[in-house]
Amino acid sequence: MIYLKKKLLGNTGLLVSNICFGSLTMGPLQKNLSPQKGCQLLKYGFDRGINFIDTAELYETYPHITLALKGYNRNNIVIGTKSYAYSKDSAEKSLRKALEEMELDYIDIFLLHEQENEHTLKGHYEALEYFVKMKEKGYIKAIGISTHHIAAIKASLSIKEIEVLHPIVNISGLGIQDGTIEEMLLALESAKKAGKGIYGMKPLGGGNLLKSFKECFKFVLQLKSLDSIAIGMQSIEEIDMNVTIVNEGLEALADIEINFDNKRLNIAYWCEGCGKCIEGCSHSALSLTNNQLIINHTKCVLCGYCSKHCPQFCIKVV
């Protein structure tokens, strides 16, 4: 049995595996696996040494996690969730929903979802204050933010209550809304020095960088600012591959190949039909009909170039 290395998540006291199981890809927004099938994947991940799960109210994967936790020591599993709560009332509803639907006594990490800068943090400060009070009562162990913005990372440095950061980190900087990957890494280095726990998201750019996945893994694995990396996994084979890469190091990449036959470009429901992605597609695989984006899968080569042009980061390979 392979047991992944565990690392303290900043100054939170939480001990997490260096792979975090991202549950977005198994839920209704992407693969739409049943709770039973999602449960099987999570349990397999637990058995391979993954003790860290990332979810969110938006993902609708609480039922998958609830089933997966049965038969395991809950205290050995670290669960991070997120919501768009901005007021005391909305924060209370989000926390209650997470606790009740996952049948938990506490949440390890509760994050404010998709924060952009100091202004959005101020707009959500009432929710942050509520989460701080719930932490004092033992219902939450650590508080943080998820973000696609460097400005939010910088703003968090002056807010001691924000203990955990969940930013986009990948070799191309794909999905970062206000700068480059180099600028993001500089901000994360400052956050690391301040004792923030950091687990990166989208190391493969939401699937758009799959064809260069070896380079992507080499890049994120050498980053000392990251305590863990959240990776969406939809099959036992993907779990095995990721665990092998992270556990055995960069040399394990040499003999690993990935099958793209079952991968498809997916457009999230929040697509606004702006058409900017079409400019990045040299294969004429994208078109607009009545402001709805249409994919010609026979022409799509999964290059991911179109996603660079999407301001809402709603294009992913699943």
Side-chain angles (χ1 to χ4, degrees):
M1 181 65 68
I2 295 175
Y3 288 98
L4 289 170
K5 295 177 182 178
K6 303 295 191 296
K7 188 175 182 180
L8 285 172
L9 187 63
N11 292 338
T12 65
L14 297 170
L15 197 62
V16 299
S17 51
N18 44 16
I19 290 180
C20 173
F21 203 127
S23 68
L24 166 64
T25 57
M26 70 172 61
L29 296 182
Q30 292 199 25
K31 193 69 170 179
N32 198 24
L33 297 179
S34 68
Q36 290 74 21
K37 289 185 178 179
C39 159
Q40 291 172 2
L41 289 180
L42 287 165
K43 283 181 177 291
Y44 187 80
F46 295 162
D47 291 340
R48 292 303 308 269
I50 300 172
N51 80 325
F52 189 10
I53 306 172
D54 175 76
T55 185
E57 189 172 316
L58 176 70
Y59 300 169
E60 297 182 23
T61 54
Y62 289 171
H64 306 64
I65 295 169
T66 305
L67 290 178
L69 291 175
K70 297 184 185 304
Y72 287 86
N73 185 340
R74 190 277 177 258
N75 293 325
N76 293 336
I77 307 296
V78 177
I79 301 171
T81 190
K82 307 177 283 290
S83 88
Y84 294 106
Y86 59 90
S87 64
K88 176 184 178 296
D89 288 344
S90 58
E92 183 178 11
K93 289 177 182 177
S94 288
L95 178 58
R96 184 185 302 117
K97 179 181 178 69
L99 292 173
E100 291 180 355
E101 293 192 6
M102 288 188 280
E103 300 178 10
L104 302 174
D105 296 322
Y106 64 89
I107 294 288
D108 298 277
I109 309 167
F110 213 111
L111 303 104
L112 297 174
H113 206 162
E114 291 190 308
Q115 294 301 296
E116 298 179 7
N117 50 46
E118 69 273 18
H119 304 299
T120 53
L121 284 168
K122 286 179 181 177
H124 291 74
Y125 204 77
E126 188 175 311
L128 179 61
E129 286 183 317
Y130 174 79
F131 291 143
V132 169
K133 290 179 181 178
M134 293 302 101
K135 181 187 173 185
E136 292 170 354
K137 294 183 177 181
Y139 293 109
I140 297 173
K141 289 192 174 183
I143 300 165
I145 62 170
S146 70
T147 185
H148 298 182
H149 292 74
I150 299 163
I153 300 297
K154 292 180 177 179
S156 75
L157 297 177
S158 61
I159 305 175
K160 69 179 191 315
E161 292 84 1
I162 295 176
E163 306 158 277
V164 179
L165 304 174
H166 184 35
I168 284 185
V169 180
N170 57 64
I171 193 170
S172 297
L174 193 61
I176 298 173
Q177 297 295 300
D178 58 349
T180 65
I181 182 59
E182 290 79 15
E183 291 169 328
M184 174 64 85
L185 293 179
L186 283 174
L188 292 179
E189 287 174 12
S190 297
K192 186 69 175 178
K193 290 177 182 177
K196 310 282 189 186
I198 306 171
Y199 69 109
M201 73 167 85
K202 297 178 173 58
L204 301 177
N208 292 288
L209 303 175
L210 274 172
K211 291 196 173 181
S212 57
F213 81 99
K214 294 180 181 180
E215 291 78 9
C216 290
F217 270 110
K218 286 180 182 178
F219 177 77
V220 295
L221 288 176
Q222 55 84 33
L223 295 177
K224 295 181 179 179
S225 58
L226 298 183
D227 299 316
S228 186
I229 306 164
I231 307 174
M233 294 174 276
Q234 301 176 342
S235 68
I236 286 174
E237 290 75 21
E238 288 182 1
I239 295 171
D240 283 339
M241 182 189 75
N242 292 330
V243 168
T244 299
I245 289 172
V246 173
N247 191 70
E248 297 183 13
L250 300 181
E251 62 275 10
L253 295 175
D255 299 323
I256 292 177
E257 298 296 335
I258 191 168
N259 182 5
F260 295 98
D261 292 343
N262 62 345
K263 298 294 181 181
R264 291 290 184 272
L265 198 67
N266 180 71
I267 310 300
Y269 70 88
W270 58 82
C271 172
E272 297 176 352
C274 68
K276 292 181 180 179
C277 57
I278 296 174
E279 302 170 9
C281 181
S282 60
H283 301 277
S284 302
L286 300 175
S287 61
L288 277 178
T289 300
N290 297 324
N291 290 326
Q292 183 177 359
L293 192 63
I294 306 299
I295 307 168
N296 184 334
H297 292 288
T298 63
K299 294 183 177 181
C300 178
V301 297
L302 301 178
C303 65
Y305 292 168
C306 56
S307 64
K308 296 180 181 179
H309 299 264
C310 177
Q312 304 301 327
F313 199 60
C314 64
I315 302 176
K316 298 178 177 67
V317 177
V318 298

